[in-house]
Amino acid sequence: MDSRAAALVRTTFKAVAAEEAGPEEVAGSFFAILFSAQPQLREFFPASLDTQRERLVSALAHVVDRLEEPDELLPFLAQLGRDHRKFGIAPEHYPAVGKSLITAVRAHARTELWTEEVEHAWQECITLITRTMIVGAQDCGTPAVWTGTVVEHHRVLDDLAVVRVRLDQPMRYAAGQYLSVQVPSRLRMWRYLSPAGPSNAEGEIEFHVRARTGGWVSPALVGHTAVGDQWLLSAPMGGLGIPRNTRRKLLMIGYGTGIAPLRAQLVAMARRRSNPRVHLFVGGHHPCDLYDLVTLSELAAANKWLTVTPIVESEENPWWYFDSGDPTPDLPGLDPRRTGQIGAVVAGYGPWADRDVQISGSPSMVQTTKFRLMAAGTPAVNIRHDPLF
Ligand SMILES: Cc1cc2nc3c(=O)[nH]c(=O)nc-3n(C[C@H](O)[C@H](O)[C@H](O)COP(=O)(O)OP(=O)(O)OC[C@H]3O[C@@H](n4cnc5c(N)ncnc54)[C@H](O)[C@@H]3O)c2cc1C
């Protein structure tokens, strides 16, 4: 899109998002308009549309911010198209989706803002989105979904489980990508998870899942998954991954289960001959939240290019945590554990201006850490993270 059209779309989107009703109302209107035009699409979605509304808003925000960055935007939209096949969305549904979206944005925009030029800019934007998604879905040559059987479920903490799934057919994904899963007890409630290891010929995938308080799906994944359960998994997505340039140093920052996509890349890198220096900061609230330190310590001890620094916000474990002890001090290959807020601790090391940076964790952790690094002098263009869905 040209700069003017992109600016018009961005400005209207931000203006609508800033209105009292907020962007979630726009998303609510979008679904209402879509389902009244195409009632058969309703059954693709879960009863509660809260998560869908949040995701639509985040995805739109991600897209409108990148309208002038085709190298980032087009692969993202193509992946989104591939991913949407899991809902049963087909090319013939896209015109109604596009039309409903423009109608919803227009309905929430102030009349003086919605000029003919703005309408054209939005038409162009929606055409770009829907065309790229359709082509992405058609050209990929991969299944819409894979079936995976749970072969291991290990409750590492009260609210955290490691789940291993064996797929019916291998899936090729780049270490660092994510995909969405649907479990039998939560039909149509797809959730994104990041494989914690690279893809393999056996089709085994390891996931690290944290149960979020009040969440629809993650408590079930952690608390009620059983060996033999059949999961559905969609096509892999995401732009995190090992950079081709093996000489540029990397900074990786992972918090909680956000370590998974970084761990997958480190395991893949450990199999290569030559790697740049990597400094990984792994964070958790309590020492027990650093649940995967043994693997990270083994990786660091065996690979000279890797430095791992654990960070906790509190030196104490929570009262409910019973274990033989805190493993951090005795593990080889790790830098001494630091205490503090992860973004502040990492930014305290310097501007990291010569590094490619990856941040992985909850949306608020990613945003705060990015802000801290930028304030310390890290160029924003060097920082990558998954979309904050
Ligand atoms: C690219 C990507 C990769 C992800 N990878 C993993 C992974 O490997 N392991 C994993 O455990 N989770 C991962 N997530 C988060 C996961 O997809 C779900 O969002 C999370 O499990 C909550 O789902 P839920 O149904 O329990 O909560 P919902 O019912 O969807 O939401 C309940 C509440 O929790 C909040 N919430 C949702 N997600 C988060 C979050 N990540 N942090 C804090 N609060 C949140 C929501 O805003 C809402 O208020 C990933 C998310 C993305 C976007």
Side-chain angles (χ1 to χ4, degrees), residues 51 54 178 191-194 208-210 212-219 257 260 362-363 386-387 389:
T51 306
E54 277 180 33
Y178 58 92
R191 292 294 183 271
Y192 293 115
L193 294 179
S194 308
H208 298 177
V209 193
R210 165 88 69 179
R212 322 274 167 198
T213 311
W216 282 97
V217 178
S218 56
T257 52
S362 67
D386 281 326
F389 288 134

Side-chain angles (χ1 to χ4, degrees), residues 157 159-160 210 212 253-259 280-293 296 308-318 328 337-343 345-346 360-362 365 369:
L157 294 171
D159 61 352
L160 199 148
R210 165 88 69 179
R212 322 274 167 198
I253 309 163
Y255 193 89
T257 52
I259 196 67
L280 169 72
F281 288 88
V282 49
H285 194 84
H286 303 285
C288 66
D289 293 321
L290 303 173
Y291 62 94
D292 201 29
L293 272 192
L296 297 175
V308 177
T309 307
I311 304 177
V312 288
E313 278 162 48
S314 156
E315 285 291 332
E316 304 293 325
N317 274 322
T328 319
R337 192 171 76 201
R338 305 284 313 272
T339 305
Q341 196 276 331
I342 190 163
V345 172
V346 179
S360 178
S362 67
M365 174 270 173
T369 306

